Amino acid sequence: LAQRLAALLEKKRAAGVEVFMIYDDIGSYDTRAAYFDRLRTAGVAICAFNPISPLKRPGYWAINHRDHRKIVVVDRKVAFTGGINISSVYSLGSTSRTLKSAEAERGWRDTQIELRGQAAEELDDLVRETWREQGCEGRLPPPPLAPKTYPPGREVVQLIPSSPNDSFNRIYAMLLTAIDTARHSVHLTMAYFAPGEEMIHTLADAARRGVDVQLVLPSVSDFRPVMYAGRSYYESLLQAGVRIYELKGAILHAKTAVIDGVLSTVGSSNLDWRSLTANNEVNAVVYGEAFGASMQRMFERDVAASSEIHLNAWRQ
């Protein structure tokens, strides 16, 4: 898959398209340097986010601050973001390097969102901001001076980035507020779920006041400590009336929510300490019933592919 991507980027570069790539240095630790050298030779501008070695870019050594965003922007017109990495683990029939199990045979379950218009421009600006902050080599072409006008969409999109440099995590605050004000339903799909007491109390309180709170969580994980940390909250959540499902047959990597069928979010941010305090993340929040309905159908498909956790069985 990586070689196919490189060949495609080389082809576009040869056709005169400017190509810029930011990769997280720890997240891409297993990728050989020759891969990136090949792209540089083809004219692709390459930038490692917070390199592990301070010799690669003096002054930018921050081993705990990682870029967890997954963004593609094309011509400043169309963009993709969500949870999907460039990795063959998403292919059906693939197996993870660390998970040789039946669940890995179907690949990983994830969600990405396609955005056009002003939302794509905002993601483009976010990439440019990261490029500047990291002191990346190669000058990004400036965006058009005059902003384009687009016909109004059917629903409102809000892009929420987060960084450990922020005074508070806006993605976490958005989710807390939305759950706290939910009237009918909170349906959450989360790959890494270990949020801390505040979120657990908010979910439990919503269930106690009659909101239909359902969580789809992993049954296996490529990072088990986080999965076990999340499971430590199961009993208190189940006691409050929260329904919990564990996805079977695939590795869950999606980070999505749909609340009251109106507010939906797709992004890179998990509900764990690393996403909330140490990573660059970005979530797209969509306000509208049509998109909420499609998110709800996706959630129901995940529930159908999951096993429900019941309180008495869990206690045993």
Side-chain angles (χ1 to χ4, degrees), residues 189-262:
T189 303
M190 195 58 55
Y192 304 101
F193 178 80
E197 296 291 341
E198 186 177 32
M199 176 61 74
I200 297 301
H201 289 158
T202 302
L203 290 166
D205 287 346
R208 290 192 189 99
R209 68 174 184 268
V211 175
D212 173 31
V213 181
Q214 299 185 42
L215 312 178
V216 172
L217 304 175
S219 60
V220 292
S221 176
D222 63 327
F223 192 67
R224 293 180 181 177
V226 172
M227 185 176 71
Y228 295 143
R231 284 177 170 176
S232 71
Y233 295 117
Y234 277 17
E235 183 162 356
S236 60
L237 288 169
L238 292 167
Q239 284 178 325
V242 175
R243 299 184 72 176
I244 299 173
Y245 302 87
E246 289 189 343
L247 185 72
K248 303 295 182 181
I251 308 303
L252 182 62
H253 197 254
K255 311 94 168 50
T256 65
V258 54
I259 298 170
D260 284 346
V262 174

Side-chain angles (χ1 to χ4, degrees), residues 29-49:
Y29 183 74
D30 289 340
T31 304
R32 296 176 180 177
Y35 180 80
F36 298 113
D37 291 340
R38 167 189 171 181
L39 289 171
R40 288 189 185 94
T41 301
V44 175
I46 301 287
C47 184
F49 185 94

Side-chain angles (χ1 to χ4, degrees), residues 109 187 189 212 214 216 245 247 258 292-306:
R109 161 72 183 88
H187 294 164
T189 303
D212 173 31
Q214 299 185 42
V216 172
Y245 302 87
L247 185 72
V258 54
S294 65
M295 290 286 290
Q296 183 59 35
R297 289 191 295 271
M298 184 173 65
F299 182 82
E300 290 167 0
R301 288 196 297 271
D302 285 338
V303 168
S306 303

Side-chain angles (χ1 to χ4, degrees), residues 44 85 89 127 148 155 163 202-203 212 225 244 263 277 281 293 313:
V44 175
N85 296 291
V89 298
V127 173
K148 296 178 182 178
E155 295 166 310
S163 160
T202 302
L203 290 166
D212 173 31
I244 299 173
L263 183 150
T277 64
E281 308 279 6

Side-chain angles (χ1 to χ4, degrees), residues 127-172:
V127 173
R128 292 168 183 275
E129 179 183 317
T130 304
W131 194 271
R132 289 192 300 270
E133 289 177 349
Q134 286 286 301
C136 301
E137 295 181 6
R139 184 174 177 271
L140 283 165
L145 293 177
K148 296 178 182 178
T149 57
Y150 299 96
R154 293 176 299 171
E155 295 166 310
V156 174
V157 178
Q158 179 185 18
L159 289 167
I160 306 180
S162 69
S163 160
N165 299 324
D166 299 336
S167 57
F168 68 98
N169 187 292
R170 290 186 288 164
I171 296 173
Y172 185 64

